[in-house]
Amino acid sequence: MWLIAPVENRIYTLLFIGSLWGLLLSIILWDILVSKYVSVTFHGGNLLLQGVFSSRELKLSEIETIQWSLYSHGLIKVQTPAQTGSINLYYFENKERLWLIQYFRDHFPECRQENWPLFCHQIALPLRNRDTNKPRTPRPDDFLHTRKRWDKLTIVFTTITALISVLTAWHLQQMKYLLLPVLPLCGWFVRYTIPEEGIPVSVSENKYFNETFYFFGLWSVVWVIIYLPFRFELLPAPAGISVGWTIVFIWTSGFYWRLFLMYRRDHQKDLEDAKQSVQEWEAGDSSCD
């Protein structure tokens, strides 16, 4: 099908695949540069933040604000009257992350630290518990979510999508549908957000997430059921209206609204649990002393 396709379609396909591989190579190159150049150094009362393309030096005595950001694996933003710097914890090993968190937490007054409760609940405390091998209280419905499990899920979804794309491309004689398996493959990179030892997950805690996942599946089936009759001209399309794009817009709006509800619910629960996490962190500091 690729060989008999028009030249324009073959060029577009090559450009698309080339862009995906270019993105992957760019990510690998960036990781190499980060491991070689990025560093945080404390020297003579100064904080030296070395990045890939730039460096910044701040006086520790002039730092007015410490902002604990939930971005990625955690981001520590430090601000002086003249400069602002940031430390992305993603670029460091677990023990280095914990040391940096502990340093800024201990060396600056509480009034200068912003968003610590949520940061403590979502990043700092889980990191310390993992570093000290402190087990979470087991629950009857716990299971271990690992990178290997995510790989299996990716293979399953990619295989199903590949079968659908081949049948669709063969029936419609349009090669572009063969690119559909690329979508689940893009989600494979999520595996690197999962610790190598895995994450204990409680089915009861993730009930709302599972409901959202089922909603996504049913919502997609509804989209297909509505779209196919118009696609195969079993029903007349309204004049001047692109049925496909209209249905996609409605599907996308419903999906993001469901994600928003899930995020709002989880955020509210995190706010309620953050106080207890801060108390547990402080109790751990006292026991270490």
Side-chain angles (χ1 to χ4, degrees):
M1 291 179 59
W2 186 81
L3 293 176
I4 64 175
V7 177
E8 296 81 0
N9 289 351
R10 282 185 282 177
I11 293 176
Y12 291 147
T13 302
L14 290 176
L15 289 175
F16 181 76
I17 296 175
S19 299
L20 291 178
W21 279 105
L23 177 61
L24 178 60
L25 292 176
S26 299
I27 294 174
I28 295 174
L29 177 61
W30 179 256
D31 287 340
I32 294 174
L33 292 175
V34 165
S35 62
K36 183 176 179 60
Y37 294 107
V38 172
S39 64
V40 177
T41 306
F42 297 87
H43 178 70
N46 294 331
L47 172 63
L48 177 61
L49 304 177
Q50 179 65 52
V52 175
F53 302 113
S54 63
S55 63
R56 187 163 299 178
E57 188 170 359
L58 301 86
K59 290 186 177 181
L60 291 171
S61 59
E62 295 181 355
I63 293 179
E64 295 181 339
T65 306
I66 306 292
Q67 295 181 346
W68 302 96
S69 172
L70 303 178
Y71 174 78
S72 184
H73 287 66
L75 193 71
I76 305 175
K77 298 180 180 179
V78 295
Q79 185 173 357
T80 68
Q83 297 185 83
T84 300
S86 60
I87 303 172
N88 193 337
L89 298 180
Y90 177 77
Y91 300 146
F92 301 92
E93 299 294 333
N94 285 351
K95 290 185 178 180
E96 295 172 330
R97 297 177 191 175
L98 190 59
W99 188 91
L100 288 168
I101 294 172
Q102 194 74 59
Y103 178 89
F104 285 102
R105 181 62 184 166
D106 293 343
H107 286 76
F108 294 91
E110 179 74 27
C111 60
R112 296 187 185 181
Q113 303 187 34
E114 299 178 357
N115 200 42
W116 168 249
L118 274 179
F119 184 93
C120 176
H121 175 67
Q122 295 191 13
I123 295 177
L125 188 60
L127 177 63
R128 189 175 69 179
N129 290 343
R130 186 164 63 245
D131 183 71
T132 56
N133 294 322
K134 180 181 179 181
R136 194 190 72 175
T137 303
R139 299 181 177 89
D141 58 352
D142 272 359
F143 66 91
L144 192 64
H145 181 56
T146 62
R147 293 182 178 183
K148 185 176 181 180
R149 183 173 182 270
W150 185 262
D151 293 340
K152 291 181 179 179
L153 291 174
T154 303
I155 292 174
V156 170
F157 282 109
T158 302
T159 302
I160 294 174
T161 308
L163 292 174
I164 295 174
S165 67
V166 170
L167 292 175
T168 305
W170 172 77
H171 181 76
L172 301 177
Q173 290 298 303
Q174 294 188 26
M175 184 186 60
K176 61 182 180 181
Y177 291 103
L178 294 176
L179 298 177
L180 289 177
V182 174
L183 297 177
L185 284 177
C186 291
W188 177 76
F189 295 101
V190 176
R191 76 186 302 273
Y192 293 106
T193 64
I194 304 172
E196 293 183 359
E197 64 274 16
I199 303 175
V201 179
S202 171
V203 175
S204 59
E205 285 184 350
N206 289 273
K207 179 181 178 181
Y208 196 75
F209 174 82
N210 293 334
E211 292 176 355
T212 302
F213 180 79
Y214 295 143
F215 169 81
F216 170 75
L218 292 175
W219 196 233
S220 300
V221 171
V222 170
W223 182 90
V224 172
I225 292 175
I226 296 176
Y227 174 71
L228 288 181
F230 293 102
R231 180 65 182 82
F232 294 110
E233 299 181 352
L234 299 178
L235 292 176
I241 297 178
S242 176
V243 176
W245 286 111
T246 301
I247 299 175
V248 167
F249 175 78
I250 296 174
W251 181 90
T252 305
S253 300
F255 177 65
Y256 277 104
W257 174 250
R258 185 73 180 196
L259 288 181
F260 169 75
L261 293 178
M262 183 179 69
Y263 169 79
R264 187 175 65 176
R265 179 182 179 276
D266 290 344
H267 181 69
Q268 185 61 38
K269 187 177 185 302
D270 287 339
L271 289 175
E272 296 172 357
D273 296 341
K275 296 180 180 179
Q276 182 178 351
S277 296
V278 171
Q279 293 175 359
E280 185 176 345
W281 174 274
E282 294 173 350
D285 288 344
S286 299
S287 61
C288 291
D289 296 339

